[in-house]
Amino acid sequence: MKKLLKIILSLSAVLVFIYFAYTHYQKKAVLKNVIHTDAESFVKIGLHDLQKTLFFDALVSPRYYWKNAKISKDKKEKDSLDAMDKGINLMPYSLVLYTVKNVKNTLFTTFKIDDPALFEIFSKQYFKELNTSINNANYQHATNEKAKLIFAWNDKHLVVALSPKGSFEACKEVFDEILLQNKVIKDDDQAIIKQLSATNDHITFIHGDSKVTLNFNDGQAILEGLLYTDAPKTFANQISYNTIPDASFQLYFDANFAQEKNREWVISALEDISFFDKNNLDITTLVAKSKGNLSISIKGTTQQTDTIITYEYDDNFEKVETKATQEKRVPVICIDMGAEAGLNTYLKEQGALEKGILKAIPYYTFYADKDSANTAFSTLKGEQLSQKKTGSYLFNLETNFAALQKDLQIPKADKLVELLRSLRITAQQTIGNKVVVKGRIEATQSNINIISQLFFGMQEKDSI
């Protein structure tokens, strides 16, 4: 018996050693040859680390996983593309998304192609189902316009770009450098490879010295980290904002436009968003007429009147327009923007504000608050509910999901509300150039990993 025990212990030790050796190798190997050499910020998704967390959670709560895995297996039909040999691993040990400085507002990721022939068959089928064409040049590329995804590949790499413009031309330089020049980090002694491989967090964001992590635990997701600004006091440490007391949703942000550089990066971040073009608004002008602070609050409901336009034929068989009114319940939403002189005038000139009503946001009617020193809009006409408060957070987002769903009545969101309780994310600059970021999402079950609750819970909803 003692001899058998020694053998078992020895084998266990060997297996543990092999596992850790394999893990150590994979942590660096998976990051080589997939990151552009000029990448400046990184998001690492630790797929293996997340799988390991869920595996141990299943060991602790086997009944929950057995029950839900069985239901999932019974209801899921295997998709033909899922079953296909792809010639590429789309779920690697770790997945890295990165940005490149000369391509704004775009995330890239790179996959290694293991079998070019199999991948060619898979890619033709995939893009055929997306109803998008493949263009042939020095390498192949295709665009999923709806998802704003651009794909480019040769026989070694697949590069995927997520861009609000969805433009191949905007990303072509990066595609050329990776696919034609092999401009990727090949040495695992590079600082960023060491930094990314050293983290065991589920999701890690790194930009220079800044680092923010997100981990999925039993009953909650935890966000924490430090962001470093170029200079001290980039953001104010005393913020004034408007809010509805006991709001079901509250967001406020102060970009501190007293610092001119802050205006520049806000313009850079927003200029590709189609909302402004669709509403005839120039983001540079809009920012120039703003102070940089924004708050949005939701609490309760109110009554609004809709005008419904229909067309009928008169006695002469001519088409005539008829109007009817309809009462509907809408959430009370208050939007407050810090404004310089002339912002309201500019909105009127561009047609975004007409007869005291904000036209840029459809579905709900937003009335302008004429008495506000800022530019304020609310779905509640007349007396405004918001009150001025002060705080030390430059950014704050918090919501109670059940209360928010009661106010918004979003179709098909009831199941999500059953799974999640609350969310809060804050950012605060109090010392030097450090911005402290903290956040937490609370799920309804405290003893089951939040990812599993969302995955199985939403799948159950879809199957009904």
Side-chain angles (χ1 to χ4, degrees):
M1 180 62 75
K2 288 183 179 181
K3 186 176 181 181
L4 179 60
L5 184 60
K6 286 182 180 180
I7 293 173
I8 292 173
L9 290 173
S10 298
L11 287 173
S12 299
V14 170
L15 290 173
V16 170
F17 173 79
I18 292 173
Y19 171 78
F20 281 105
Y22 169 79
T23 300
H24 179 76
Y25 168 77
Q26 282 287 1
K27 278 181 175 290
K28 286 190 175 181
V30 74
L31 302 175
K32 292 165 58 177
N33 298 306
V34 295
I35 302 174
H36 193 287
T37 54
D38 296 332
E40 62 172 359
S41 59
F42 312 85
V43 176
K44 175 193 166 189
I45 304 174
L47 298 175
H48 178 80
D49 293 314
L50 183 55
Q51 289 170 356
K52 184 171 64 174
T53 298
L54 296 178
F55 172 76
F56 285 113
D57 193 47
L59 291 180
V60 175
S61 306
R63 182 177 297 179
Y64 174 87
Y65 283 86
W66 176 261
K67 174 187 172 184
N68 286 282
K70 188 175 186 300
I71 293 172
S72 175
K73 184 178 179 181
D74 291 341
K75 295 188 179 293
K76 183 178 179 182
E77 294 181 5
K78 198 71 172 178
D79 187 270
S80 59
L81 283 175
D82 290 338
M84 182 182 292
D85 289 331
K86 303 176 181 65
I88 187 171
N89 182 10
L90 296 174
M91 294 287 288
Y93 192 93
S94 296
L95 178 65
V96 178
L97 310 175
Y98 55 88
T99 64
V100 180
K101 189 173 184 178
N102 58 348
V103 187
K104 294 188 300 182
N105 301 329
T106 301
L107 279 173
F108 293 91
T109 188
T110 308
F111 298 91
K112 300 172 186 175
I113 295 176
D114 304 315
D115 190 322
L118 283 176
F119 180 74
E120 187 67 17
I121 296 170
F122 166 72
S123 63
K124 286 181 179 178
Q125 181 66 21
Y126 177 76
F127 291 112
K128 178 182 177 182
E129 294 192 6
L130 282 178
N131 195 29
T132 185
S133 60
I134 298 174
N135 304 292
N136 292 297
N138 295 320
Y139 50 83
Q140 297 189 79
H141 62 89
T143 302
N144 183 337
E145 294 182 0
K146 185 177 180 181
K148 304 298 183 184
L149 291 172
I150 307 104
F151 306 84
W153 67 95
N154 56 16
D155 59 352
K156 293 182 179 178
H157 291 104
L158 165 68
V159 187
V160 183
L162 173 61
S163 170
K165 286 188 174 180
S167 166
F168 168 77
E169 291 302 323
C171 305
K172 185 177 183 299
E173 183 178 352
V174 174
F175 291 150
D176 287 350
E177 289 173 343
I178 294 177
L179 299 175
L180 302 181
Q181 302 170 31
N182 198 28
K183 198 173 179 181
V184 291
I185 298 175
K186 308 175 183 68
D187 188 357
D188 59 13
D189 286 331
Q190 289 280 343
I192 189 59
I193 299 294
K194 289 181 177 180
Q195 197 174 1
L196 288 170
S197 63
T199 177
N200 295 318
D201 297 288
H202 295 148
I203 298 178
T204 306
F205 166 78
I206 293 175
H207 179 86
D209 294 328
S210 300
K211 180 180 177 181
V212 178
T213 62
L214 176 63
N215 287 287
F216 303 100
N217 305 325
D218 285 357
Q220 59 185 1
I222 302 296
L223 180 76
E224 54 188 355
L226 286 175
L227 298 175
Y228 290 88
T229 56
D230 293 336
K233 298 182 179 179
T234 297
F235 300 100
N237 55 21
Q238 190 72 20
I239 310 297
S240 295
Y241 61 96
N242 287 330
T243 183
I244 303 175
D246 302 317
S248 61
F249 175 90
Q250 171 67 59
L251 178 148
Y252 65 85
F253 173 58
D254 192 334
N256 190 23
F257 282 175
Q259 300 283 347
E260 192 59 36
K261 283 187 176 181
N262 291 5
R263 292 182 185 268
E264 295 173 5
W265 67 255
V266 169
I267 292 170
S268 178
L270 298 180
E271 63 184 353
D272 289 335
I273 296 177
S274 60
F275 169 83
F276 300 103
D277 286 336
K278 288 178 180 177
N279 289 284
N280 197 32
L281 296 173
D282 175 65
I283 187 60
T284 302
T285 305
L286 202 60
V287 167
K289 296 179 181 297
S290 305
K291 293 181 179 178
N293 57 298
L294 169 71
S295 68
I296 302 173
S297 305
I298 301 174
K299 174 64 177 178
T301 59
T302 186
Q303 200 83 3
Q304 286 190 350
T305 302
D306 259 357
T307 301
I308 301 172
I309 299 175
T310 58
Y311 294 90
E312 298 177 355
Y313 290 94
D314 62 14
D315 294 338
N316 297 320
F317 297 100
E318 293 183 356
K319 195 175 183 180
V320 293
E321 179 183 282
T322 62
K323 295 182 179 180
T325 59
Q326 176 180 291
E327 296 292 320
K328 67 175 183 179
R329 300 294 296 177
V330 303
V332 174
I333 306 174
C334 295
I335 302 174
D336 191 277
M337 297 171 56
E340 301 286 1
L343 178 56
N344 276 15
T345 301
Y346 174 70
L347 293 175
K348 291 175 184 177
E349 291 172 347
Q350 302 307 112
L353 184 60
E354 185 179 314
K355 295 180 180 179
I357 295 176
L358 184 64
K359 297 293 185 181
I361 303 177
Y363 194 66
Y364 302 133
T365 300
F366 283 87
Y367 303 97
D369 180 7
K370 297 179 181 179
D371 297 327
S372 174
N374 296 329
T375 294
F377 305 96
S378 174
T379 56
L380 182 65
K381 190 174 184 179
E383 183 181 357
Q384 303 301 304
L385 297 177
S386 60
Q387 298 177 1
K388 186 169 288 293
K389 289 189 176 183
T390 58
S392 61
Y393 296 116
L394 66 96
F395 176 88
N396 183 77
L397 168 62
E398 55 185 312
T399 186
N400 177 293
F401 288 102
L404 182 61
Q405 175 63 359
K406 184 179 178 181
D407 293 338
L408 296 182
Q409 291 295 306
I410 300 173
K412 299 182 179 180
D414 290 335
K415 187 59 185 180
L416 183 63
V417 171
E418 291 176 15
L419 300 170
L420 297 177
R421 283 183 181 154
S422 62
L423 161 69
R424 187 175 189 196
I425 300 174
T426 62
Q428 182 182 39
Q429 184 166 34
T430 55
I431 301 174
N433 63 341
K434 292 181 181 181
V435 175
V436 179
V437 178
K438 293 183 179 180
R440 182 188 299 266
I441 302 176
E442 294 282 353
T444 52
Q445 295 189 61
S446 60
N447 62 330
I448 303 295
N449 190 280
I450 189 172
I451 288 290
S452 297
Q453 291 186 54
L454 290 172
F455 176 77
F456 290 122
M458 295 309 295
Q459 198 170 64
E460 180 184 336
K461 174 70 175 176
D462 292 340
S463 67
I464 294 174

